[in-house]
Amino acid sequence: CLFCERVEAQAGEFGDMQPMSLSDTIATERCADLRARRIPVTLLTGFLGSGKTTVLNHLLQNTELKVAVVENEVGEVAVDDVLLTGKAQTGPEVLLLPSGCICCKVRGDLVEALQSVGTIEGLDAVVVELSGMADVAPVAQTFFSPEVQGAMQLDAIVCVCDAGRLAELVLSPTEQNAELEMVMTQLSLADRVLLNKADITTELEALGEWVQSLRPGAKLIECTKGVVPPSELLGLDSFSLARAVDHADFGLLGSSHSPHQHTRLGYGSVGVVEGDRPISWVRFMPWLEEVIKKWGDRLCRFKGVLWTVGSPVRETHRMVLQGVFGHVEISDGGAWAHAPQAKGSRLVFIGRVDGIEQDLRKGVQECLSPLPAIMGGRRRRVVPQMSMGYQNSTGSTSNTKIK
């Protein structure tokens, strides 16, 4: 293929190559030598709160492969990068793209990120975790620009779904549900569909039939807490460009995607970063209860890594907060990486936040401990079931509940 010829001629990078026709691009994808030379990339997509980062964490903790991660977030404060606890948590293997949705604002940054991770010695695979509101088609198109196609292979698109939430959307539909439309868009090119949180719904069979009707041929995997064998996420060689171009929303030549679902959903975000004082758990929990009672239907997603005092975890450990609408989970995130300097709190709320931004920020500030940070924490600036089960670092669950 043209890329192989350029490599043999030692003609340098591929960025100055002219874009190929669609037929030539598809033909190039069939080149066995090119496919053997490239680094495989898995796109991990799914709506807000579906469990993408949980799936990714389990993968990183259970694979012997050297995996690089590209993280994209749309929230005002980035959180997912510090939730990763596998082999890719330190060093150059995690690259954060927090400046906007990867499908409509930072595709140029994605190209640069892929070029950067491609220089990592001994790299076996790359996982790109898309934001919860990203349209997967424009991101997939990026892999067929000359500067990316010559070095990276789009190996598979894996879509994570919150089975319980999806059952509500599919089996009790409302007219023009923008959230369901977004989920359907993310599913439209998936090679693997993970029905995560499978333990909280009895509608798995009906959901499976619905997914298969929407995306025939995609492999369906039921899972709980993001536990999926690495072999179902990496090295699948399942994405087909020839099949993808038949999709109505997928194009390569002069294509541009329609106005984004962000606008239709009306979602924004509120972020809080605090590094000087820990959060008082006895203040924070009643406040969070009240927030959920008042605005739970407006906050489709909230998450954080918190420095706390008086909480169920050790004060030398991180508290991880995960919330989807009215469902909240807290867990022990393990020891701070470089305590005490790394201690601090990051918290983000995503949803219809217009008019409550200051209430949320002020509420968090009022939950801070009145005592100075004993361990010398510093402020860090980051580029931009109403039941609560507490899970400790060993994976066991206590009986901490909000009533």
Side-chain angles (χ1 to χ4, degrees), residues 355-383:
I356 61 173
E357 300 98 322
Q358 293 307 315
D359 293 283
L360 293 171
R361 292 192 178 98
K362 181 180 178 182
V364 175
Q365 291 297 317
E366 291 177 347
C367 292
L368 296 178
S369 171
L371 300 175
I374 298 174
M375 298 300 291
R378 62 181 177 85
R379 183 176 298 277
R380 297 182 300 162
R381 294 295 179 189
V382 182
V383 181

Side-chain angles (χ1 to χ4, degrees), residues 19 130 156 200 213 355 366:
L130 281 63
I200 63 174
S213 69
E366 291 177 347

